[in-house]
Short mmCIF file of all heavy atoms in Angstrom, two decimals:
data_model
loop_
_atom_site.label_atom_id
_atom_site.label_comp_id
_atom_site.label_asym_id
_atom_site.label_seq_id
_atom_site.Cartn_x
_atom_site.Cartn_y
_atom_site.Cartn_z
N HIS A 12 13.08 41.32 57.62
CA HIS A 12 14.31 40.67 57.19
C HIS A 12 15.54 41.41 57.73
O HIS A 12 16.51 40.79 58.19
CB HIS A 12 14.37 40.59 55.66
CG HIS A 12 13.37 39.64 55.09
ND1 HIS A 12 12.77 39.80 53.86
CD2 HIS A 12 12.83 38.50 55.60
CE1 HIS A 12 11.94 38.81 53.62
NE2 HIS A 12 11.96 38.01 54.68
N ALA A 13 15.48 42.75 57.73
CA ALA A 13 16.59 43.53 58.27
C ALA A 13 16.71 43.35 59.78
O ALA A 13 17.83 43.22 60.30
CB ALA A 13 16.40 45.01 57.93
N SER A 14 15.58 43.31 60.47
CA SER A 14 15.62 43.10 61.92
C SER A 14 16.19 41.74 62.27
O SER A 14 16.99 41.61 63.21
CB SER A 14 14.21 43.25 62.51
OG SER A 14 13.78 44.60 62.48
N LEU A 15 15.81 40.72 61.54
CA LEU A 15 16.33 39.37 61.82
C LEU A 15 17.85 39.32 61.63
O LEU A 15 18.55 38.67 62.41
CB LEU A 15 15.63 38.34 60.94
CG LEU A 15 14.14 38.13 61.19
CD1 LEU A 15 13.56 37.14 60.19
CD2 LEU A 15 13.88 37.64 62.61
N ARG A 16 18.33 40.01 60.59
CA ARG A 16 19.79 40.05 60.38
C ARG A 16 20.47 40.76 61.54
O ARG A 16 21.49 40.28 62.06
CB ARG A 16 20.11 40.77 59.06
CG ARG A 16 19.80 39.97 57.81
CD ARG A 16 20.46 40.59 56.58
NE ARG A 16 20.00 41.96 56.33
CZ ARG A 16 18.95 42.27 55.58
NH1 ARG A 16 18.24 41.30 55.02
NH2 ARG A 16 18.62 43.53 55.38
N ARG A 17 19.93 41.89 61.94
CA ARG A 17 20.57 42.65 63.02
C ARG A 17 20.52 41.91 64.35
O ARG A 17 21.46 41.96 65.15
CB ARG A 17 19.90 44.03 63.14
CG ARG A 17 20.22 44.96 61.99
CD ARG A 17 19.73 46.38 62.25
NE ARG A 17 18.29 46.49 62.18
CZ ARG A 17 17.61 46.92 61.13
NH1 ARG A 17 18.25 47.26 60.01
NH2 ARG A 17 16.29 47.04 61.16
N LEU A 18 19.41 41.23 64.61
CA LEU A 18 19.24 40.50 65.87
C LEU A 18 19.91 39.13 65.85
O LEU A 18 19.96 38.45 66.88
CB LEU A 18 17.75 40.34 66.17
CG LEU A 18 17.02 41.63 66.58
CD1 LEU A 18 15.51 41.44 66.48
CD2 LEU A 18 17.41 42.04 67.99
N GLN A 19 20.40 38.71 64.68
CA GLN A 19 21.08 37.41 64.51
C GLN A 19 20.19 36.25 64.96
O GLN A 19 20.60 35.38 65.72
CB GLN A 19 22.41 37.40 65.28
CG GLN A 19 23.38 38.50 64.84
CD GLN A 19 24.72 38.41 65.54
OE1 GLN A 19 25.32 37.33 65.60
NE2 GLN A 19 25.21 39.52 66.07
N THR A 20 18.96 36.27 64.46
CA THR A 20 18.03 35.20 64.79
C THR A 20 17.18 34.87 63.56
O THR A 20 17.08 35.68 62.63
CB THR A 20 17.11 35.62 65.97
OG1 THR A 20 16.25 34.53 66.32
CG2 THR A 20 16.26 36.83 65.61
N ASP A 21 16.58 33.68 63.57
CA ASP A 21 15.75 33.26 62.44
C ASP A 21 14.30 33.73 62.59
O ASP A 21 13.54 33.69 61.61
CB ASP A 21 15.75 31.73 62.32
CG ASP A 21 17.12 31.18 61.99
OD1 ASP A 21 17.88 31.86 61.28
OD2 ASP A 21 17.44 30.07 62.47
N TYR A 22 13.92 34.12 63.79
CA TYR A 22 12.53 34.53 64.03
C TYR A 22 12.48 35.46 65.23
O TYR A 22 13.40 35.49 66.05
CB TYR A 22 11.64 33.30 64.29
CG TYR A 22 11.96 32.58 65.59
CD1 TYR A 22 11.25 32.87 66.76
CD2 TYR A 22 12.97 31.63 65.66
CE1 TYR A 22 11.56 32.23 67.96
CE2 TYR A 22 13.28 30.99 66.85
CZ TYR A 22 12.57 31.29 67.99
OH TYR A 22 12.87 30.66 69.18
N VAL A 23 11.41 36.23 65.33
CA VAL A 23 11.14 36.99 66.56
C VAL A 23 9.87 36.43 67.18
O VAL A 23 8.97 35.96 66.49
CB VAL A 23 10.99 38.50 66.30
CG1 VAL A 23 12.32 39.10 65.87
CG2 VAL A 23 9.89 38.82 65.30
N ASP A 24 9.83 36.46 68.49
CA ASP A 24 8.67 35.92 69.19
C ASP A 24 7.45 36.82 69.04
O ASP A 24 6.32 36.33 69.00
CB ASP A 24 9.01 35.73 70.67
CG ASP A 24 10.12 34.72 70.86
OD1 ASP A 24 9.83 33.52 70.97
OD2 ASP A 24 11.30 35.13 70.84
N LEU A 25 7.68 38.14 68.97
CA LEU A 25 6.57 39.08 68.83
C LEU A 25 7.00 40.20 67.90
O LEU A 25 8.05 40.81 68.08
CB LEU A 25 6.18 39.67 70.20
CG LEU A 25 5.05 40.71 70.19
CD1 LEU A 25 3.71 40.04 69.87
CD2 LEU A 25 4.97 41.45 71.53
N TYR A 26 6.16 40.47 66.88
CA TYR A 26 6.40 41.56 65.95
C TYR A 26 5.26 42.57 66.12
O TYR A 26 4.09 42.20 66.04
CB TYR A 26 6.44 41.04 64.52
CG TYR A 26 7.17 41.93 63.54
CD1 TYR A 26 8.30 42.65 63.91
CD2 TYR A 26 6.76 42.01 62.22
CE1 TYR A 26 8.99 43.44 63.00
CE2 TYR A 26 7.45 42.79 61.29
CZ TYR A 26 8.56 43.50 61.69
OH TYR A 26 9.24 44.29 60.79
N GLN A 27 5.62 43.83 66.36
CA GLN A 27 4.62 44.83 66.74
C GLN A 27 4.57 45.99 65.75
O GLN A 27 5.62 46.50 65.34
CB GLN A 27 4.96 45.38 68.13
CG GLN A 27 5.04 44.30 69.21
CD GLN A 27 5.86 44.76 70.41
OE1 GLN A 27 5.31 45.24 71.40
NE2 GLN A 27 7.17 44.62 70.32
N ALA A 28 3.36 46.41 65.43
CA ALA A 28 3.15 47.62 64.64
C ALA A 28 3.35 48.81 65.57
O ALA A 28 2.53 49.06 66.45
CB ALA A 28 1.76 47.61 64.03
N HIS A 29 4.42 49.56 65.35
CA HIS A 29 4.88 50.56 66.31
C HIS A 29 3.94 51.76 66.42
O HIS A 29 3.98 52.48 67.42
CB HIS A 29 6.29 51.02 65.91
CG HIS A 29 7.15 51.43 67.05
ND1 HIS A 29 8.51 51.54 66.96
CD2 HIS A 29 6.86 51.78 68.32
CE1 HIS A 29 9.02 51.92 68.12
NE2 HIS A 29 8.03 52.10 68.96
N ARG A 30 3.15 52.02 65.41
CA ARG A 30 2.05 52.98 65.44
C ARG A 30 1.03 52.53 64.39
O ARG A 30 1.31 51.64 63.59
CB ARG A 30 2.51 54.42 65.14
CG ARG A 30 3.36 55.09 66.22
CD ARG A 30 2.62 55.28 67.53
NE ARG A 30 3.41 56.04 68.50
CZ ARG A 30 4.33 55.53 69.31
NH1 ARG A 30 4.60 54.23 69.24
NH2 ARG A 30 4.98 56.28 70.18
N PHE A 31 -0.12 53.16 64.39
CA PHE A 31 -1.14 52.88 63.38
C PHE A 31 -0.77 53.66 62.12
O PHE A 31 -0.41 54.83 62.18
CB PHE A 31 -2.50 53.32 63.90
CG PHE A 31 -3.64 52.98 62.97
CD1 PHE A 31 -4.22 51.72 63.01
CD2 PHE A 31 -4.11 53.92 62.07
CE1 PHE A 31 -5.27 51.41 62.15
CE2 PHE A 31 -5.16 53.61 61.21
CZ PHE A 31 -5.74 52.35 61.25
N ASP A 32 -0.88 53.01 60.96
CA ASP A 32 -0.55 53.65 59.69
C ASP A 32 -1.84 54.02 58.96
O ASP A 32 -2.51 53.16 58.40
CB ASP A 32 0.31 52.71 58.83
CG ASP A 32 0.75 53.34 57.52
OD1 ASP A 32 0.44 54.53 57.30
OD2 ASP A 32 1.38 52.64 56.71
N ALA A 33 -2.15 55.32 58.95
CA ALA A 33 -3.39 55.80 58.32
C ALA A 33 -3.32 55.74 56.80
O ALA A 33 -4.34 55.91 56.13
CB ALA A 33 -3.67 57.23 58.77
N GLU A 34 -2.13 55.48 56.24
CA GLU A 34 -1.97 55.47 54.79
C GLU A 34 -1.94 54.07 54.18
O GLU A 34 -1.73 53.93 52.97
CB GLU A 34 -0.70 56.24 54.41
CG GLU A 34 -0.73 57.71 54.79
CD GLU A 34 0.47 58.46 54.25
OE1 GLU A 34 0.76 58.36 53.05
OE2 GLU A 34 1.14 59.15 55.04
N THR A 35 -2.11 53.06 55.01
CA THR A 35 -2.12 51.68 54.52
C THR A 35 -3.41 51.00 54.94
O THR A 35 -3.78 51.09 56.12
CB THR A 35 -0.92 50.88 55.07
OG1 THR A 35 0.29 51.50 54.66
CG2 THR A 35 -0.94 49.44 54.57
N PRO A 36 -4.10 50.31 54.04
CA PRO A 36 -5.29 49.55 54.47
C PRO A 36 -4.92 48.57 55.57
O PRO A 36 -3.91 47.87 55.48
CB PRO A 36 -5.73 48.83 53.18
CG PRO A 36 -5.15 49.64 52.07
CD PRO A 36 -3.85 50.19 52.59
N LEU A 37 -5.74 48.54 56.60
CA LEU A 37 -5.46 47.65 57.72
C LEU A 37 -5.41 46.20 57.29
O LEU A 37 -4.63 45.40 57.81
CB LEU A 37 -6.51 47.87 58.81
CG LEU A 37 -6.25 47.30 60.20
CD1 LEU A 37 -4.84 47.57 60.69
CD2 LEU A 37 -7.28 47.87 61.19
N GLU A 38 -6.23 45.85 56.30
CA GLU A 38 -6.22 44.47 55.79
C GLU A 38 -4.85 44.11 55.23
O GLU A 38 -4.39 42.97 55.39
CB GLU A 38 -7.29 44.31 54.69
CG GLU A 38 -8.72 44.40 55.19
CD GLU A 38 -9.24 45.83 55.30
OE1 GLU A 38 -8.44 46.78 55.13
OE2 GLU A 38 -10.44 46.00 55.55
N GLU A 39 -4.20 45.05 54.55
CA GLU A 39 -2.87 44.80 53.98
C GLU A 39 -1.85 44.53 55.08
O GLU A 39 -1.05 43.58 54.99
CB GLU A 39 -2.42 45.99 53.13
CG GLU A 39 -1.03 45.84 52.55
CD GLU A 39 -0.60 47.04 51.72
OE1 GLU A 39 -1.49 47.79 51.25
OE2 GLU A 39 0.61 47.24 51.53
N THR A 40 -1.88 45.34 56.12
CA THR A 40 -0.95 45.17 57.23
C THR A 40 -1.16 43.83 57.92
O THR A 40 -0.21 43.07 58.16
CB THR A 40 -1.14 46.31 58.25
OG1 THR A 40 -0.80 47.55 57.62
CG2 THR A 40 -0.26 46.09 59.48
N LEU A 41 -2.41 43.52 58.23
CA LEU A 41 -2.71 42.29 58.96
C LEU A 41 -2.43 41.05 58.12
O LEU A 41 -1.97 40.03 58.65
CB LEU A 41 -4.15 42.30 59.43
CG LEU A 41 -4.50 43.40 60.45
CD1 LEU A 41 -5.99 43.40 60.75
CD2 LEU A 41 -3.70 43.24 61.74
N LYS A 42 -2.68 41.11 56.82
CA LYS A 42 -2.39 39.98 55.94
C LYS A 42 -0.87 39.75 55.88
O LYS A 42 -0.41 38.60 55.91
CB LYS A 42 -2.92 40.24 54.53
CG LYS A 42 -2.61 39.11 53.53
CD LYS A 42 -3.32 37.81 53.93
CE LYS A 42 -3.28 36.76 52.82
NZ LYS A 42 -1.92 36.22 52.58
#
């Protein structure tokens, strides 16, 4: 939501996980 405000757009074409998060279940991230 913060990125969309800064980029002044309603959507992004690609959203990327900038690194792997060892402290979050992968299922949570992907969901």
Side-chain angles (χ1 to χ4, degrees):
H12 290 148
S14 289
L15 294 177
R16 286 194 300 271
R17 289 189 288 262
L18 290 164
Q19 301 184 49
T20 183
D21 296 327
Y22 67 94
V23 292
D24 297 271
L25 179 70
Y26 202 35
Q27 302 159 96
H29 210 163
R30 291 296 186 276
F31 184 84
D32 183 3
E34 297 187 51
T35 300
L37 194 45
E38 292 84 352
E39 178 180 338
T40 296
L41 296 175
K42 178 65 168 69

